């Protein structure tokens, strides 16, 4: 295998209950596949679309109706997202989701995965659990399973989740994103210099990668 010709760090500010973040993750992967000679480190950074959701979560239908109104509008939003995801291979199963979780604990798990180099695997599993399988990714048992799938010790993760470890650290990181003006996700930061908002097409992300490496 040829040595990488360049290196790049991409920070992705994301929430694991954000369908556009799942789409953005797949589009980023497609973009990186077009630049195989670049050694890329992807760091997943926390964001909460709704930190007011109780830690135990809330009924999904109730939450969506309160936020968006009638079922017809909700169905239209879901159809729009499914259509947008056509190029990613994601088959969203919104109808399978029963709970809207608070994602603070999920972000703690993602944080703990970072030193072990398995953040991407954990994020992918959480997206799949939620959007493809309708699982409650606010539940400690579900998070422990996701951790185990990426090689973390599920018993250790469950024990850590039972404490308040890193809760403030995650909140502080979210606060930093907010102070930087990030109000929507996904948000991609390339080498700490260029920011791109939204689930942009792979071609757009490739352009930013090239611009970052050239500057």
């Amino acid at each position: 295998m040829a040595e990488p010709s360049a290196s790049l760090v991409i920070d992705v500010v994301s929430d694991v209950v954000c369908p556009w973040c799942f789409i953005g993750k797949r589009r980023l992967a497609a973009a990186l596949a077009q630049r195989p000679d670049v050694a890329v480190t992807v760091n997943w950074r926390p964001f909460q679309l709704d930190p007011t959701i109780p830690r135990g979560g809330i009924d999904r239908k109730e939450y969506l109706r309160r936020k968006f109104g009638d079922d017809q509008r909700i169905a239209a939003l879901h159809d729009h997202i499914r259509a947008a995801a056509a190029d990613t291979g994601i088959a969203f199963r919104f109808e399978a989701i029963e709970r809207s979780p608070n994602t603070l604990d999920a972000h703690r798990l993602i944080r703990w995965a970072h030193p072990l180099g398995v953040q991407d695997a954990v994020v992918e599993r959480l997206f799949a659990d939620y959007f493809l399988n309708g699982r409650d990714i606010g539940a400690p048992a579900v998070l422990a399973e996701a951790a185990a799938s990426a090689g973390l010790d599920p018993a250790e993760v469950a024990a850590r989740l039972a404490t308040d470890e890193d809760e403030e650290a995650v909140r502080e990181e979210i606060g930093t994103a907010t102070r930087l003006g990030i109000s929507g996700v996904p948000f991609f930061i390339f080498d700490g210099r260029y920011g791109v908002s939204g689930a942009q097409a792979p071609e757009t992300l490739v352009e930013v990668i090239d611009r970052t490496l050239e500057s």
Side-chain angles (χ1 to χ4, degrees):
M1 181 180 293
E3 289 293 320
S5 62
S7 62
L8 179 68
V9 176
I10 303 175
D11 292 286
V12 186
V13 184
S14 165
D15 197 1
V16 283
V17 292
C18 166
W20 295 104
C21 294
F22 196 5
I23 293 171
K25 184 178 188 298
R26 291 290 175 84
R27 289 179 176 171
L28 176 62
L32 296 179
Q34 297 182 44
R35 293 294 181 268
D37 57 331
V38 179
V40 178
T41 299
V42 178
N43 300 316
W44 291 91
R45 305 298 186 187
F47 194 87
Q48 285 194 282
L49 291 174
D50 190 349
T52 69
I53 292 177
R55 291 296 286 271
I58 190 172
D59 179 81
R60 177 71 171 174
K61 289 183 179 178
E62 174 189 341
Y63 178 73
L64 290 180
R65 286 169 182 159
R66 190 172 65 194
K67 188 173 183 179
F68 297 112
D70 60 71
D71 291 349
Q72 186 174 356
R73 184 183 178 198
I74 294 167
L77 289 170
H78 287 166
D79 287 344
H80 174 64
I81 294 167
R82 287 191 180 99
D87 65 328
T88 67
I90 301 171
F92 284 101
R93 295 181 61 230
F94 294 110
E95 70 284 353
I97 302 172
E98 297 181 354
R99 303 288 292 175
S100 284
N102 182 299
T103 56
L104 182 63
D105 286 343
H107 286 303
R108 289 202 289 158
L109 172 58
I110 294 166
R111 181 183 181 88
W112 299 334
H114 183 268
L116 301 176
V118 293
Q119 264 197 327
D120 195 81
V122 169
V123 171
E124 181 71 24
R125 172 62 183 256
L126 292 175
F127 276 138
D129 274 349
Y130 189 63
F131 287 114
L132 306 184
N133 301 313
R135 305 191 75 192
D136 180 3
I137 58 172
V142 173
L143 293 173
E145 285 182 31
S149 73
L152 282 75
D153 183 335
E156 178 184 342
V157 167
R160 295 173 77 179
L161 287 171
T163 72
D164 63 357
E165 180 183 350
D166 282 334
E167 286 186 6
E168 282 309 308
V170 170
R171 290 191 179 102
E172 287 175 9
E173 197 167 352
I174 293 170
T176 297
T178 301
R179 286 190 294 275
L180 289 173
I182 298 172
S183 58
V185 287
F187 194 94
F188 303 89
I189 303 170
F190 295 80
D191 263 354
R193 290 181 287 152
Y194 295 104
V196 175
S197 179
Q200 301 293 333
E203 294 74 20
T204 300
L205 296 174
V206 168
E207 288 178 7
V208 181
I209 290 170
D210 291 346
R211 188 187 319 143
T212 304
L213 294 175
E214 291 167 0
S215 61

